[in-house]
Amino acid sequence: MTYSAVRVRETPGEPGSGRAGVAVIVFGIAVAGWVSFGRHLFGLGGDLTVIYAATLGVIFAILLVLVGLAMRRSDLRGFATRPITHAMLISSGLSAFLLGLTIPDNTPEGLQTIVSGPNEPALGIAIGIANPLGVVGIATGIIALVLAVKESRGRITLVESWDDDEAAGLTRASESTQDSDSAHTAETSTSPSL
């Protein structure tokens, strides 16, 4: 048996408008703003806002804007964006939204979050949830970016085939036998009869 595989690039379809990519770019900027400055909407802004804006806000903005650009490029080139990319993007955005609700800020009354205020034990629980939410949000954003970039280039499908050497050999042998039989028949029909 012989195995062969050929890589085939996806054929682009009808080019789209790229609106979904633009919506993701706007969404990414909004998510970054929420994580960085969302506590100010509730009067809980404090000293840590600058640190969150310079770290988490920038990371989420860069990741989600790049995902949006890749999705826009996919749409303009006629390539489809898979549902798993959308799922990773939504997961990243949802995690970032929840992070904005649970991330603490240092106010004159002490550490506070949007969901708990300064009250214990809710404050400790919110802070404990914030760290995993940030990690999950960034990780799923990276996955969405990798998938979106690959899709913007056109997916590559692997076409596999197995050839049965024995069947191929038998086919070749029967073909050569038929060729020799027809050649022998042709020789006998052209020879003079006595």
Side-chain angles (χ1 to χ4, degrees), residues 175-192:
E175 288 173 358
S176 66
T177 304
Q178 289 173 355
D179 291 342
S180 65
D181 287 346
S182 61
H184 177 59
T185 306
E187 285 177 12
T188 56
S189 63
T190 58
S191 62

Side-chain angles (χ1 to χ4, degrees), residues 16-76:
S17 65
R19 287 187 200 131
V22 173
V24 171
I25 292 169
V26 171
F27 168 75
I29 293 169
V31 164
W34 169 254
V35 170
S36 301
F37 306 108
R39 291 162 312 286
H40 286 278
L41 297 173
F42 296 90
L44 300 176
D47 302 340
L48 297 176
T49 300
V50 174
I51 294 171
Y52 293 146
T55 55
L56 292 172
V58 170
I59 290 171
F60 276 110
I62 289 172
L63 279 175
L64 298 180
V65 166
L66 289 176
V67 170
L69 290 172
M71 288 177 68
R72 183 174 185 277
R73 185 172 58 198
S74 294
D75 196 25
L76 292 175

Side-chain angles (χ1 to χ4, degrees), residues 2-189:
T2 304
Y3 172 76
S4 63
V6 179
R7 294 170 49 141
V8 179
R9 188 167 297 276
E10 178 184 20
T11 304
E14 186 68 30
S17 65
R19 287 187 200 131
V22 173
V24 171
I25 292 169
V26 171
F27 168 75
I29 293 169
V31 164
W34 169 254
V35 170
S36 301
F37 306 108
R39 291 162 312 286
H40 286 278
L41 297 173
F42 296 90
L44 300 176
D47 302 340
L48 297 176
T49 300
V50 174
I51 294 171
Y52 293 146
T55 55
L56 292 172
V58 170
I59 290 171
F60 276 110
I62 289 172
L63 279 175
L64 298 180
V65 166
L66 289 176
V67 170
L69 290 172
M71 288 177 68
R72 183 174 185 277
R73 185 172 58 198
S74 294
D75 196 25
L76 292 175
R77 290 182 174 179
F79 296 121
T81 302
R82 293 185 295 176
I84 188 70
T85 305
H86 292 286
M88 290 294 121
L89 179 65
I90 291 168
S91 174
S92 179
L94 182 62
S95 296
F97 175 75
L98 294 173
L99 174 64
L101 290 174
T102 59
I103 198 168
D105 211 336
N106 193 18
T107 64
E109 293 84 26
L111 286 178
Q112 293 189 40
T113 68
I114 294 172
V115 295
S116 71
N119 304 325
E120 285 293 344
L123 177 63
I125 293 170
I127 293 171
I129 292 172
N131 192 17
L133 286 172
V135 171
V136 168
I138 291 170
T140 54
I142 291 170
I143 293 169
L145 177 61
V146 169
L147 292 172
V149 167
K150 287 184 69 76
E151 290 163 357
S152 72
R153 296 177 181 163
R155 288 189 305 233
I156 295 177
T157 306
L158 190 64
V159 178
E160 302 173 308
S161 65
W162 288 91
D163 293 332
D164 190 11
D165 286 343
E166 292 177 17
L170 291 175
T171 304
R172 284 188 214 113
S174 67
E175 288 173 358
S176 66
T177 304
Q178 289 173 355
D179 291 342
S180 65
D181 287 346
S182 61
H184 177 59
T185 306
E187 285 177 12
T188 56
S189 63

